[in-house]
Amino acid sequence: MNVLLLACLCLLTLSVTTTDGGPAVIKVEQDSDVILPCSLSNKQDITAAVFDWKKVAQRGQRQKEVFFYNAGVHYNNGKDGQSEQFRGRVSHFGDQLKHGNASIIITNTKMADSGHYTCAFPLLQTPQTFYMELVVGAAPKPSVTSLDFTKDWSLLQCEAHGNPQPAVEWQDSDGNTLPAEEPTFSERGGSFYVTLNITVTKTDRYRCVATQKTINHQIHAETSVYISGSRSEQDSGSFTGWIGIVVAVLVTLLVVGVILAVLVRKGCITSKSKFQSTSRVVFNRLLISSSCVRVL
């Protein structure tokens, strides 16, 4: 069961970091589930103990009751007092209490859940309190649209939003960052919106990437663009055309050279006529020579 709990921690939490002397920082995406860890180092059985989870007051708000446990009685089986924000979304690991584990799961996390939390054991012989910070970020997949296009270019728009504010960039299919217009920013409903436009002139698959460094989260959306009049395609077509012309000329010269060589060898063309400038002499000789007729 300990192994299972560890696996749950890895799957449900996006990342956990610590700072020297400071609380652990747990970072998750909005609408995901998260485990807030709290365990006694001596693995003391806390089935009959008391532990209390609270969200520390911030920005003028009151302290909030997250989860309270007292010898089997808690908010999910009849005890009153839990803050409305967490009602129906918090549970504990009942089978882990005997190992000193007072961790809780918060489901369907919201940005309002971000903040500092405490997990306290007030009635132990040596009371203990654990501290941690939860950072919830909203980072849905960016929206990519084509605003306008011609045979030579296409104007693409990417809109991403989240909290913390995401950094947005355009990339080509090779992952190269592309120059784009200046982004525009706005804030609505507690979320930061970023819009970034780019004009592309080459057929390719383009990617809009939104990155939230503070929660180590990155997500992207892709779109394919076909530019019928792109320079690369025109150059390719022109190059192919020139190759065809050169090959045709070389084949023609080779055929003429072979014919002339055969005619000279058969005596249809003498060294004197070889230097005459008109084709009439050649055809006259061809007509009056039976050997030339056989050759042709």
Side-chain angles (χ1 to χ4, degrees):
M1 185 60 70
N2 286 334
V3 174
L4 179 60
L5 178 58
L6 181 60
C8 291
L9 281 167
C10 295
L11 290 173
L12 295 180
T13 58
L14 182 63
S15 64
V16 179
T17 59
T18 58
T19 56
D20 293 340
V25 180
I26 304 170
K27 306 168 185 177
V28 297
E29 299 175 30
Q30 180 172 275
D31 298 325
S32 63
D33 300 343
V34 62
I35 293 177
L36 300 187
C38 179
S39 297
L40 296 176
S41 59
N42 61 3
K43 300 186 183 301
Q44 174 184 337
D45 187 350
I46 56 174
T47 304
V50 173
F51 61 87
D52 187 14
W53 279 91
K54 297 181 184 294
K55 184 173 184 288
V56 179
Q58 58 183 13
R59 298 181 181 178
Q61 297 180 350
R62 292 183 177 182
Q63 178 175 265
K64 295 185 178 180
E65 294 292 335
V66 180
F67 190 81
F68 183 88
Y69 177 93
N70 184 1
V73 179
H74 50 80
Y75 289 144
N76 292 337
N77 66 4
K79 180 174 175 56
D80 295 327
Q82 187 177 33
S83 297
E84 181 65 29
Q85 176 182 337
F86 297 101
R87 192 165 297 171
R89 294 197 297 125
V90 184
S91 59
H92 70 301
F93 298 92
D95 59 346
Q96 289 294 304
L97 296 176
K98 59 186 177 182
H99 301 298
N101 188 346
S103 301
I104 59 173
I105 301 177
I106 301 177
T107 61
N108 194 27
T109 55
K110 306 298 180 184
M111 286 184 288
D113 296 335
S114 294
H116 290 83
Y117 290 75
T118 60
C119 170
F121 296 89
L123 301 182
L124 293 181
Q125 185 174 358
T126 303
Q128 296 187 43
T129 301
F130 298 86
Y131 302 87
M132 66 208 67
E133 180 182 4
L134 175 63
V135 179
V136 181
K141 189 174 184 178
S143 171
V144 174
T145 55
S146 176
L147 298 180
D148 196 7
F149 65 91
T150 69
K151 66 181 182 64
D152 298 314
W153 52 265
S154 181
L155 176 61
L156 305 177
Q157 182 178 86
C158 174
E159 184 176 76
H161 68 276
N163 189 345
Q165 179 175 292
V168 180
E169 66 179 12
W170 280 100
Q171 296 178 355
D172 60 17
S173 58
D174 294 326
N176 300 312
T177 301
L178 303 175
E181 299 178 9
E182 287 296 319
T184 58
F185 305 93
S186 62
E187 184 177 358
R188 303 192 297 273
S191 190
F192 298 96
Y193 286 74
V194 182
T195 301
L196 185 64
N197 295 347
I198 186 174
T199 300
V200 297
T201 58
K202 184 177 70 172
T203 297
D204 201 354
R205 189 163 185 80
Y206 295 92
R207 175 184 301 173
C208 174
V209 181
T211 304
Q212 292 172 297
K213 292 183 178 180
T214 57
I215 59 172
N216 300 322
H217 180 62
Q218 186 176 90
I219 192 169
H220 69 271
E222 294 185 349
T223 185
S224 294
V225 175
Y226 175 73
I227 306 296
S228 61
S230 64
R231 181 178 297 275
S232 60
E233 295 176 3
Q234 291 177 349
D235 292 345
S236 176
S238 177
F239 182 68
T240 302
W242 276 109
I243 290 179
I245 294 174
V246 171
V247 170
V249 171
L250 291 176
V251 171
T252 301
L253 292 176
L254 179 61
V255 171
V256 171
V258 170
I259 293 175
L260 291 177
V262 172
L263 293 178
V264 169
R265 186 170 182 177
K266 293 294 184 179
C268 299
I269 300 178
T270 65
S271 59
K272 179 179 179 182
S273 62
K274 192 174 180 179
F275 295 99
Q276 295 182 355
S277 60
T278 65
S279 61
R280 181 177 298 177
V281 175
V282 175
F283 285 104
N284 285 340
R285 290 180 178 275
L286 291 174
L287 291 174
I288 64 176
S289 173
S290 59
S291 63
C292 291
V293 173
R294 287 195 299 270
V295 171
L296 295 175

